[in-house]
Amino acid sequence: MTGRLEGKVALITGAAGGVGRAQAIRFAQEGADIIAIDLATPPERTTTGPSQTLADTVRAVEAVGRRISAFAADVRDQQALDAAVAEGVGALGRLDVICATAGISSTGAAVELDARRWQTMLDVNLTGVWRTCKAGIPSILAGGRGGSLVLMSSIAGLRGLVGVGHYTTAKHGVVGLMRSLANELAPHAVRVNTIHPAIVRTPMIENPATMRTFSGVADPTREQFEAGVRTMHLLPLTFIEPEDIANASLFLASDEARCITGVTLPVDAGHCLK
Ligand SMILES: NC(=O)c1ccc[n+]([C@@H]2O[C@H](COP(=O)([O-])OP(=O)(O)OC[C@H]3O[C@@H](n4cnc5c(N)ncnc54)[C@H](O)[C@@H]3O)[C@@H](O)[C@H]2O)c1
């Protein structure tokens, strides 16, 4: 059976993380080769889950029989992104899909955030998405077969979330970038859409700081944490899984979505209806 991304190559940033890795594996299962980018050293955090590296993603993609070129690069570094794309496209032959997934999170009331924290958030979660697109789009256009850009926003890109004003601003900015790119690239049959997850079971969520935020308790039990997370979703589930986001990304990346561009797609278990 032909895979839904057979003959395509996808560039994925944040490919060592929960969502980025799930995208890489899911896309590879559907026949794509992968150009994977992440930091050499993940941002400092105390995760409650297993630690994740780019090497684990490489092994997982190769295990399903696809090729992968992996690069340690910071999405704030245009030269590093350009070099990774050049080498990856050189090795794998073309580029069809970009998933701009790398991101960070932190908390703080908007008026209390210091300028450094604000700027870092915008540099990674907004400008990093633009830099990723800038690095990859010329190769998609050179391939002459159209393409798909899947930009990772959040429910914070649709609503004014409390205590994460910098994250909310960056994720709204990703929507603006998506809309401009969708207009600019439509004549080339390149589609551009955003995905808006609610609470996904990844290291970004499964860490002591976020567990405190969701439970409202200084030293929460697992049950208290999960009860807090459940209140974020309308459907009867606790977490959205990284694979749920990967499946939505796969649909947008595939030819099944060939008439879909400029869309903000919530994968939020009904959060935005609450
Ligand atoms: N987990 C959630 O609940 C959730 C909800 C909504 C949106 N998102 C978004 O989904 C995306 C993926 O998040 P995740 O949950 O997989 O988190 P994660 O922390 O597991 O993965 C994020 C990855 O991005 C990488 N990264 C961070 N800064 C980078 C940089 N400057 N350059 C290159 N790579 C960098 C990290 O090393 C990490 O591997 C993010 O954009 C996040 O904002 C996540």
Side-chain angles (χ1 to χ4, degrees):
M1 211 172 84
T2 311
R4 294 155 74 190
L5 295 181
E6 208 71 51
K8 296 190 176 174
V9 177
L11 164 68
I12 301 173
T13 67
V19 171
R21 172 178 310 167
Q23 289 171 320
I25 296 170
R26 190 72 192 90
F27 285 19
Q29 288 168 342
E30 293 292 338
D33 291 328
I34 307 297
I35 301 171
I37 289 176
D38 206 297
L39 293 172
T41 312
E44 206 175 302
R45 67 181 164 217
T46 324
T47 172
T48 55
S51 72
Q52 302 172 307
T53 67
L54 206 44
D56 295 326
T57 303
V58 169
R59 275 190 288 276
V61 166
E62 288 177 344
V64 298
R66 299 313 311 180
R67 295 182 296 166
I68 177 166
S69 295
F71 303 93
D74 191 315
V75 294
R76 292 169 290 187
D77 181 345
Q78 190 71 55
Q79 274 190 338
L81 290 174
D82 292 345
V85 169
E87 196 177 329
V89 170
L92 301 176
R94 54 179 301 107
L95 186 64
D96 305 277
V97 176
I98 298 172
C99 290
T101 304
I104 54 173
S105 68
S106 63
T107 55
V111 291
E112 289 164 10
L113 288 166
D114 64 42
R116 196 172 60 88
R117 186 176 274 214
W118 172 271
Q119 195 58 51
T120 301
M121 181 61 71
L122 291 183
D123 287 348
V124 175
N125 283 15
L126 177 55
T127 310
V129 173
W130 169 69
R131 289 191 185 285
T132 301
C133 295
K134 189 171 164 57
I137 287 167
S139 296
I140 294 185
L141 297 182
R145 300 204 310 230
S148 173
L149 276 54
V150 180
L151 311 187
M152 198 53 62
S153 183
S154 163
I155 51 171
L158 299 171
R159 308 188 70 174
L161 298 193
V162 173
V164 284
H166 53 338
Y167 184 83
T168 299
T169 301
K171 292 299 189 183
H172 273 74
V174 170
V175 174
L177 174 65
M178 175 275 284
R179 289 187 172 133
S180 282
L181 284 174
N183 270 306
E184 291 177 10
L185 298 176
H188 305 280
V190 176
R191 300 176 293 99
V192 193
N193 298 288
T194 48
I195 290 185
H196 300 261
I199 312 303
V200 190
R201 193 202 306 261
T202 73
M204 186 176 279
I205 296 297
E206 298 224 291
N207 63 75
T210 308
M211 289 173 74
R212 281 193 290 276
T213 302
F214 279 110
S215 62
V217 175
D219 187 16
T221 63
R222 184 81 201 170
E223 289 68 31
Q224 287 170 320
F225 165 51
E226 292 192 356
V229 171
R230 268 194 295 279
T231 65
M232 297 291 287
H233 300 134
L234 199 58
L235 293 173
L237 50 78
T238 303
F239 290 101
I240 295 168
E241 300 297 337
E243 292 72 22
D244 295 311
I245 309 304
N247 281 329
S249 308
L250 169 64
F251 168 67
L252 290 176
S254 77
D255 293 341
E256 293 158 27
R258 71 186 195 95
C259 297
I260 300 176
T261 195
V263 158
T264 53
L265 177 64
V267 185
D268 68 347
H271 171 89
C272 287
L273 282 179
K274 281 166 77 80

